[in-house]
Amino acid sequence: MMNEHEYYCFLKEFWKVTNDGFIIVDPNGVIVDINETYCEFLGKTREQVLGKPIGEVISTTSMYDVLSSARDGDDNVYLQPYGENDNASNVETHAVANRFCFFNEQGELLGAAAQMSFKERAAAMAYSIATEELNYYKRAYEESSEEDSGFCKILGNSEAMQKLKEKAMRVARKDFPVLITGETGTGKELFAQAIHRESSRRKKPIISINCASIPSELLESELFGYDEGAFTG
């Protein structure tokens, strides 16, 4: 079991890493604690907030209603509005709030707290994760492209194969479209990938499309696009 000091230290560390805002007020609605995430959203420092009535900091607060009704943590999720002067962005916005009162062992009201979920911060975090994941795969692709020659994975040492590789290597250094023909299973796509890896576009993605799966009347629009409404008039 953690003692009171250890629990407070844990709570402070949790408040640092969470993307949610937290605020605590006493029974009179005076702010006694707030985490940095909420301060950033409000555009204020802890020093500017602590010790002030919450109504002076957040004009649209509903914490006074929470205190007067002595609500517990059940069914208190609320869409909290913020005026232009109540947040750092200076525009009307909102956050999802979970508000509740807390009591001592004798049932006496000690104050109230709120947990705020900011949609902008959540969206920014999701974008950051997606971007980092994309960069990871991009780096992995670039590293794999730089490790080996594009043609080293094509097996075969016959004279015909060597001449074909040499021709493909010369083609890879040119800047014009390439048509590769051959029977099914002879390695056309393998050569296409090798040419791409040896070309000046090696750090850009290569996109493979199975044209046989596209109806002939739709092939042109699938490859080169179409104007909206082109099919319906």
Side-chain angles (χ1 to χ4, degrees):
M1 293 287 293
M2 290 189 293
N3 58 38
E4 184 176 345
H5 175 70
E6 291 172 336
Y7 184 78
Y8 183 75
C9 291
F10 161 77
L11 182 63
K12 284 296 184 182
E13 289 302 314
F14 173 75
W15 278 14
K16 289 180 183 178
V17 300
T18 182
N19 284 291
D20 289 346
F22 287 89
I23 191 169
I24 299 175
V25 299
D26 67 12
N28 297 315
V30 175
I31 300 172
V32 296
D33 210 348
I34 186 173
N35 71 340
E36 290 295 338
T37 301
Y38 206 169
C39 287
E40 291 175 6
F41 175 80
L42 297 175
K44 296 179 172 62
T45 65
R46 282 172 53 84
E47 291 72 19
Q48 293 174 315
V49 171
L50 294 179
K52 289 189 175 181
I54 191 170
E56 293 184 9
V57 179
I58 306 171
S59 62
T60 56
T61 185
S62 58
M63 289 292 274
Y64 295 115
D65 294 335
V66 176
L67 287 167
S68 63
S69 61
R71 299 174 184 171
D72 57 19
D74 295 331
D75 194 26
N76 280 319
V77 178
Y78 170 74
L79 196 61
Q80 171 67 47
Y82 291 89
E84 294 181 0
N85 299 322
D86 290 333
N87 65 92
S89 62
N90 294 319
V91 296
E92 293 186 0
T93 185
H94 63 271
V96 178
N98 183 20
R99 310 150 305 158
F100 55 91
C101 293
F102 50 95
F103 310 84
N104 61 17
E105 295 179 352
Q106 288 72 41
E108 299 170 333
L109 178 65
L110 297 178
Q115 175 187 3
M116 317 299 296
S117 296
F118 308 117
K119 64 175 184 176
E120 292 86 357
R121 182 174 292 271
M125 183 178 180
Y127 176 79
S128 176
I129 293 173
T131 301
E132 183 60 31
E133 183 178 13
L134 178 61
N135 289 336
Y136 168 79
Y137 286 114
K138 183 178 179 181
R139 288 193 299 269
Y141 176 78
E142 291 176 352
E143 291 171 0
S144 66
S145 298
E146 294 172 356
E147 287 177 358
D148 303 309
S149 166
F151 295 94
C152 68
K153 295 182 179 180
I154 299 179
L155 304 180
N157 295 314
S158 67
E159 183 178 353
M161 181 60 75
Q162 291 298 330
K163 288 182 178 181
L164 189 57
K165 288 183 181 180
E166 291 173 3
K167 183 177 182 181
M169 291 180 68
R170 292 196 302 270
V171 167
R173 291 170 172 79
K174 305 295 183 179
D175 189 21
F176 52 76
V178 179
L179 174 65
I180 304 174
T181 61
E183 298 295 330
T184 300
T186 54
K188 297 187 296 298
E189 185 172 347
L190 193 61
F191 263 90
Q193 293 174 349
I195 290 172
H196 174 76
R197 293 179 66 176
E198 288 293 320
S199 73
S200 60
R201 300 181 180 88
R202 66 177 64 87
K203 292 187 177 182
K204 297 181 180 179
I206 180 173
I207 303 174
S208 299
I209 301 175
N210 181 12
C211 295
S213 65
I214 304 175
S216 58
E217 61 271 14
L218 297 179
L219 182 61
E220 183 178 358
S221 60
E222 288 294 324
L223 293 181
F224 304 107
Y226 52 88
D227 291 330
E228 184 176 359
F231 300 110
T232 62

